[in-house]
Amino acid sequence: MRCVKCRSTAQVEVRRHHAAFCGPHFLEWFTAQVERAVRRERMFTSQDRVLVAVSGGKDSLVLWDVLLRLGYRASGLHLNLGIGDYSRESQEKCEAFARQHGAELLVVDIPAEYGVGVEGLARLSGRVPCSACGLSKRYLFNRVARERGFHVVATAHNLDDEAAVLLGNLIAGNTEALVRQAPVLESTHPGLVKKVKPLYRIAERETAAYAVLRGIDYVLDECPNSLGARSLLLKEALNLLEREAPGTKQSLYWNFLEKLRPMLRSAQEPAALRGCAHCGEPTTAEVCAFCRMTERVAQGLRTRVAVRGRAAPEPALASSDPA
Amino acid sequence: MRCVKCRSTAQVEVRRHHAAFCGPHFLEWFTAQVERAVRRERMFTSQDRVLVAVSGGKDSLVLWDVLLRLGYRASGLHLNLGIGDYSRESQEKCEAFARQHGAELLVVDIPAEYGVGVEGLARLSGRVPCSACGLSKRYLFNRVARERGFHVVATAHNLDDEAAVLLGNLIAGNTEALVRQAPVLESTHPGLVKKVKPLYRIAERETAAYAVLRGIDYVLDECPNSLGARSLLLKEALNLLEREAPGTKQSLYWNFLEKLRPMLRSAQEPAALRGCAHCGEPTTAEVCAFCRMTERVAQGLRTRVAVRGRAAPEPALASSDPA
C-alpha cells in the first residue's frame, strides 16, 4: 500500500476516504481535517481563548496538540476524578504534556473540592458512576470556562464516539439528546459557554495513529468504570458494519447532522434555561443537577463540603500556567 | 427453563419480554401478539378482505396461517419471480399451503407476463436484482389488490426486518423512506391500497419457532440474490446488540415509531401523487418506475411484451381459489 500523496510506503490507511498515507502525509491530512472542521463549523478563531477538556487519554491530548500546532490559544482543563491510580496517572500525563509544550493547564481536584471522587459522588447520590462523572464534567467545564473568560470549550469526541452516542440515542428514542448532539453547540444563555468537537471528522484509530506518530505519551488504560460499558458494545456493532462497509459511521453521523437533526430541531421547542437557585449555573430545573448531587453528597458526608449557602462552591483551580 | 404460563418445560424463550413458553402457550402468545398489532394499529377488521403477500418463506406463510386462524378473510398473492428452482419451489410451497388450508391463492407469473424474470428485468433496465424485485412487488401487490377489490395488503415484515431497514435508512439519511416506514400505511390516493405489517412486534426467530411448532412447510433457502446482502449485515450488527441487551431492536423500532417519526413527518411535506401517464397507477413522476423499467425491458426484448400503448399491461392472474 502506497501513500496517495508521495507513493512511499503507507503507514495509515483511511478506508472510508479510499486513501492511505505515509507518516508525514498522514499527520498533514489529520491536521487539515481538524482545521477544516474548525473553520467550516465556525468553532473558533485564532483570537478566541479555547479551553480543551483533557483527560490524559489519547484523543484529548491529540486534540490539544493539533490545536497548539495550528496556532490556536488552547489551554487545558483536567478534572482529577479521584479514581485511584488511574486518576493519578491521568493527571501526570496532562501535566507532562503541558510542560513539554509550554501550555497552560488548569486542574480541578474533585476529591479535594467535594470530599469524594466521582465514584463517591455517584454512590452517595444514588447515580451510576458514569452519570455522576458526566454530570460533573459538563458542569465544571462550563463553569470554569466562563469564570476564567474562555470563549469556547473543546472536547475530543471523535467520529466513533459520536456515531456510538447517536446510535444509543436512536435506540433509546432520546429526542432531546438527539437535538443537542452536534459538533457545535452555540451558547443559548449568558451562562452557557459554546461547546465544540473539532475531532468529529476523525476516526478513533486515526487519533491513535496520530498519537503514536507524534510520540504523545497518554494513559493507555481505559477508565476502570467503562469496562463493559454500553458505549463499547455500540462501538463493536458499528465496527462490524464499518469493516464490511467503510464509511458507515461517517454516513450515519453526517447524514444525521445534515438531514435528520434539522427536522428534529424544527419539531421540538428548545428547553427554557434559567439560573440555578443555588449556584446560578444555567439549568432547566429550579436547582441544577450538579447542586442536587453535591448537596446529597454533602449531607451524606457532613464534612467540610457541607453546603455553605451555595451547594456547589467555586471550584479551586490549580494552574501550571507557564507564563 | 419453565413456561411462564403453566410451569411445564419451556420450548421458546422470548428474552426481550423476560418470558419463556411451552409449545402451546408460545403459539397462544404469538397469535395474541399478532391480534394485538392488528387491533391496536387498526390494520383491518374481520369484514375486510386482506391480501397477504406470500413468498413461500416462513414469515409470509406464518402470517397467512395466523390470520386464517384468527378468522380473517385472508387470500394469498404469490409472485413467481422467475428465479430458477428457488421460484418453482416457492410457488409449490404456497400452493400446498393454500390447498391444505382451503384458502384462495392468486399467482402472477412475472416471466410469463413480462418476458423475463426479475433478474432479467434488472439486467435489461440497469438495476440491481433486489431493486427490480422490490419495485415489481410494490407495484403488483398494490395493483392486484385494488383491481381485485381487497381492502388491504398485508406483508410479513417482522421486527428484525423493520429494525434492519430502519438502521439502513438512518445510515443512508433517507428521510423520505423513514417517514414512510410504519406498520400501517394508510391509503393517501384512490389508487393506493392500505399496507400493513401485522408481524412488526414479532422477532424472526419467533416466526421460525411458530412455523416449526405448527408444522408449516416453507422454502428453507434464502433468495440466491440476497446472499451477502446489506440487510443481512445490518441484522448481524443488531443481533450483536440484542444478545447483550435484549430488547434493543424493539426499542430502536418502537421508539422510532413513537417519538422520531412523528417529528420527521411534521417537518416533511408528503409527496404529491398522480396517475402514471402509461398505466394509471399512483406515482410521483409522470411515468411510474415500474412502467419505465418494463418499457426499457420490452424495448430490449422486442418480444410479445412489446409496449401495447400501456407499458405495464394488466397482470394475468392464476387463481387456486378453492371456492
Side-chain angles (χ1 to χ4, degrees), chain A residues 58-303:
Chain A
K58 69 177 181 318
D59 294 327
S60 58
L61 292 183
V62 163
L63 172 60
W64 199 5
D65 186 87
V66 175
L67 295 184
L68 290 171
R69 283 175 191 274
L70 285 168
Y72 290 112
R73 301 172 66 194
S75 301
L77 171 58
H78 177 74
L79 307 184
N80 188 311
L81 305 169
I83 306 177
D85 285 347
Y86 169 74
S87 285
R88 188 189 42 73
E89 200 193 339
S90 297
Q91 182 168 338
E92 284 169 8
K93 300 292 183 192
C94 294
E95 288 168 347
F97 182 97
R99 266 195 311 276
Q100 283 163 23
H101 293 76
E104 179 190 43
L105 174 69
L106 308 176
V107 175
V108 176
D109 188 315
I110 289 181
E113 285 304 305
Y114 302 100
V116 287
V118 289
E119 292 162 311
L121 289 177
R123 199 172 51 246
L124 291 164
S125 64
R127 288 174 172 264
V128 295
C130 296
S131 160
C133 184
L135 172 58
S136 303
K137 284 174 175 171
R138 283 191 300 279
Y139 181 90
L140 290 167
F141 288 142
N142 184 72
R143 183 164 173 177
V144 170
R146 195 192 60 242
E147 290 179 351
R148 301 280 288 211
F150 287 91
H151 298 90
V152 59
V153 172
T155 54
H157 297 92
N158 58 41
L159 180 56
D160 295 56
D161 297 326
E162 292 298 297
V165 167
L166 173 56
L167 182 55
N169 284 334
L170 288 167
I171 291 169
N174 192 341
T175 55
E176 287 183 18
L178 288 168
V179 167
R180 278 199 309 270
Q181 196 182 348
V184 175
L185 276 185
E186 295 290 347
S187 168
T188 54
H189 182 278
L192 268 189
V193 177
K194 181 177 178 180
K195 310 292 184 312
V196 300
K197 300 171 183 172
L199 299 186
Y200 84 99
R201 307 170 66 92
I202 305 277
E204 197 160 296
R205 58 186 290 282
E206 291 149 19
T207 64
Y210 183 98
V212 169
L213 290 167
R214 285 271 188 243
I216 293 174
D217 186 27
Y218 60 90
V219 186
L220 287 166
D221 293 335
E222 296 286 328
C223 171
N225 292 306
S226 78
L227 296 174
R230 184 157 172 71
S231 61
L232 298 181
L233 182 65
L234 293 165
K235 284 185 178 179
E236 195 183 333
L238 289 169
N239 284 339
L240 189 154
L241 295 171
E242 186 77 20
R243 272 196 298 276
E244 298 295 324
T248 295
K249 292 174 201 172
Q250 184 171 300
S251 292
L252 175 67
Y253 186 47
W254 294 16
N255 279 323
F256 166 76
L257 292 177
E258 281 172 28
K259 298 179 186 173
L260 260 77
R261 185 169 175 266
M263 294 170 79
L264 298 178
R265 281 183 81 173
S266 74
Q268 186 165 292
E269 286 288 314
L273 292 176
R274 53 178 165 170
C276 168
H278 291 185
C279 73
E281 286 292 299
T283 174
T284 55
E286 193 186 333
V287 176
C288 77
F290 188 76
C291 281
R292 292 200 305 273
M293 174 173 75
T294 49
E295 279 174 8
R296 285 189 66 174
V297 170
Q299 284 166 2
L301 287 176
R302 303 194 183 288
T303 68

Side-chain angles (χ1 to χ4, degrees), chain B residues 78-91:
Chain B
H78 177 73
L79 307 184
N80 188 310
L81 305 169
I83 306 177
D85 286 347
Y86 169 73
S87 285
R88 187 187 45 70
E89 200 193 339
S90 296
Q91 185 168 337

Side-chain angles (χ1 to χ4, degrees), chain B residues 116-195:
Chain B
V116 286
V118 290
E119 290 161 313
L121 289 176
R123 200 173 50 246
L124 291 163
S125 65
R127 287 174 174 263
V128 295
C130 295
S131 160
C133 185
L135 173 57
S136 303
K137 285 175 174 171
R138 283 192 299 277
Y139 182 89
L140 289 168
F141 288 141
N142 185 69
R143 182 162 173 179
V144 170
R146 196 191 60 242
E147 291 179 350
R148 301 278 288 212
F150 286 91
H151 297 90
V152 59
V153 171
T155 54
H157 297 92
N158 58 41
L159 179 57
D160 294 57
D161 296 326
E162 292 297 297
V165 166
L166 173 56
L167 182 54
N169 283 332
L170 288 168
I171 291 168
N174 191 340
T175 54
E176 288 184 17
L178 288 169
V179 168
R180 277 198 310 271
Q181 196 182 349
V184 174
L185 275 185
E186 296 290 347
S187 168
T188 54
H189 182 278
L192 268 189
V193 177
K194 181 176 178 179
K195 310 292 184 312

Side-chain angles (χ1 to χ4, degrees), chain B residues 279-301:
Chain B
C279 74
E281 287 292 299
T283 175
T284 55
E286 192 186 336
V287 176
C288 78
F290 188 76
C291 281
R292 293 201 304 273
M293 176 173 73
T294 50
E295 280 174 8
R296 287 188 66 174
V297 170
Q299 286 166 3
L301 288 175

